[in-house]
Amino acid sequence: MTNEITLLLGGVMVNATPIDGQKVTLSAQSLNRHGLISGATGTGKTKSLQVLIEELSGIGVPSLVMDIKGDISGLGAEGSTNKIIEKRAHHIQMDWVGKSFPIEFMSISDEPGILLKSTISEFGPVILSKILSLNETQTSLLSILFLFCDDKKLPLLDLNDLKTVLRYASNEGKDEIQKMYGLVPISSAHAIMRRLTQLEQQGGNQIFGEPSFDVDDLCKVDENGLGMINIIRLTDVQSKPTLFSAFMLALLAEVFEVFPEKGDVDKPELVIFIDEAHLIFKNASKELLDQLDTIIKLIRSKGIGIVFITQTPDDIPENILSQLGFKIQHALRAFTAKDRKAIKLLSQNFPESDVYNVENLITELGIGEALISSLDRKGRPTPLVHSLMRPPYSRMDILNPSEINSILKKSELGAKYNQEIDRESAHEILMDRIEHMLEKEEEEEEEKEATIKTKPKTRRREKTQFEQIMTSSIGTTIVRELTRGILGVFGISTSTRRTSSKTKSKAKR
Ligand SMILES: Nc1ncnc2c1ncn2[C@@H]1O[C@H](COP(=O)(O)OP(=O)(O)O)[C@@H](O)[C@H]1O
Ligand SMILES: [Mg+2]
C-alpha cells in the first residue's frame, strides 16, 4: 500500500520570495520516521508545531504534546484572521478558515488535567533502576525486592510502598529476604532510599500510583474523525529534569510495549511532540540516554513518531539526532564565532541544494519560515525546500482559564481517571491479605509445632513486625491486584520492561 497522505506545511520560497501557489507538503508517513523542529526563540517553532498537529488531527492521527511553556492550548479554539494570515494564505493559495481541534489536558503534576500515573510495579525494576541511575549492585537489590513483593503478593503502587519495602529489607526482613533471594547490601538499600527521596522531592508521588493510565487512551479520534490532541501541561516541570525523564521513559516504554507491530505505515498511529527537548537530555545519565536511544529506534515499528522541538539541533545527542528523518529548521542566530562554526557544521547536514545557500539562509530565514528536509519512503532525502509556513487554523494565542475549564469539565477521560480510588476498601483488602497470610503461616507453624516440639518463636515475631511495617505504609497507598510477571522482566532485553501491562490494558478495555 503506497497511498501517500500529505500534510500541508506552507508555500515554497526562492530568493526570499514566495512562489505563489507552490505548496510545501510533508508525507504523513515521514512523521513515523521521527523529526526535529528547531530554531532560535521567536522564529516560529511553536506555530510550526501547531500546524503539524492540526494537519495530523485532520487526517485522524492523535498527538501527545509535552507543553512546557503552556503555549499550545490555542489548538482548542478557532483562529481569527488578520492581514498577515490573509497574505500568507494568498501566497500559499490555500483556503484559510478558522478551526478548532479536539484537545484533552493531561498532567503529571499539580496542573489541572488527566493524571498520567503508573504504579511502581508497572515501571518495573529495570526502568526504575535507569531512572534512579542505580549501579549494578543496587539494581540487583531492587530486582530482588520486586521479586520478593511479587512472591509475597505485596502491591508496589507508589513511592511509599517501595520505601517501606526497602526499610523492611534492611531491617526486620533482611534475614528472610537474604535466605530466599540473596544478599541485601545495606549500603545499596540506603543509596536507593536516597534516590527515591530525591525523586519524591521532584514530585514523584504525582506520577506513581493509581489509577494507572492506559496508553490506548492516547489514541482517540473525536466524533468528526479528528485525531485527539493530548496536551500534557508541564509548565512546572522545568526544574525537575529527573521527573520529566522518568515520566518520558516510562511513557515510551509503555507505548512500545502496548502498541502492536505496524511496520511501514501510511500514517502514524500516534505522534509524540516533545517541546523544550533539551530538558530531557540535560542531566540524563548515559544509561538513560542509551535507553531512550533504543526505545526511539524500536518504537517506529509500532507506528509511533517522535518529534523534538528545541532551539538548536546541538541540544539532541548525536545518536538520537541521526534517527530523526525530517527537519523543520527555523532561523538560527549567529552572534559569536562559535555560533557561526556551529551553523556551518549544521548546514552540512542538510541535503545539498542547487537552489539554496543553506549556510547563509539559516541565519536569514524570516519569522514563520523554515528549511524543510525529509526522507522518502525508501529513506532517501527529499529536495530541500525553503518554506513560508502556513498559518495555523486554530488560535495563535493560548486559551483563557474559563476555556480551559470547560474542556476539563467536558472530558470523558477526566471522568475515568480523575477519581480517587476508595482508599478505605483498598486498605481493607490489604489488611485482609496480610491477615490471611499470617493466619496461613500460623496454621503452618502450628502444624509444624505439632511434629517438632522444640520450635523457636522468632519467626512468628518477625511476621508481626512485618505486619506493622506494611500497615504503616498503606495509609497512603491503594491496592490493585498484583499480577506482575516480574520474572519476565529479566527475560527481555533492557530495552523493554515488564511483561504484564498488555494483560493489564486488555483487562481494562
Ligand atoms: N506559520 C506562521 N504563520 C503566521 N505567523 C507566524 C507563523 N509562525 C510564526 N508566526 C509569528 O511569529 C511569532 C513567534 O512564533 P512562535 O512559534 O511562537 O516562535 P517560537 O516558538 O520559535 O519562539 C508568532 O506569535 C506569530 O506571530
Ligand atoms: Mg515556542
Side-chain angles (χ1 to χ4, degrees), residues 138-151:
Q138 295 155 356
T139 301
S140 75
L141 173 58
L142 195 63
S143 306
I144 284 176
L145 295 180
F146 268 75
L147 263 182
F148 168 70
C149 290
D150 209 29
D151 287 346

Side-chain angles (χ1 to χ4, degrees), residues 39-48 51 69 71 84-85 88 330 367-368 389-392 396:
T41 306
T43 55
K45 296 184 297 297
T46 303
K47 299 303 165 276
S48 293
V51 164
K69 288 200 179 142
D71 55 4
I84 297 170
I85 289 180
R88 276 192 189 232
H330 286 275
I367 289 171
M389 299 303 289
R390 79 154 174 82
M396 282 209 264

Side-chain angles (χ1 to χ4, degrees), residues 303-346:
I304 312 288
I306 301 177
V307 180
F308 297 98
I309 299 98
T310 184
Q311 298 206 350
T312 109
D314 294 340
D315 293 334
I316 315 278
E318 189 54 46
N319 51 351
I320 292 178
L321 191 63
S322 66
Q323 295 188 46
L324 308 181
F326 76 89
K327 296 188 179 112
I328 300 181
Q329 177 68 57
H330 286 275
L332 290 175
R333 308 280 172 237
F335 295 118
T336 64
K338 199 177 153 212
D339 291 342
R340 279 191 291 278
K341 216 169 136 193
I343 288 169
K344 194 181 175 86
L345 213 67
L346 177 72

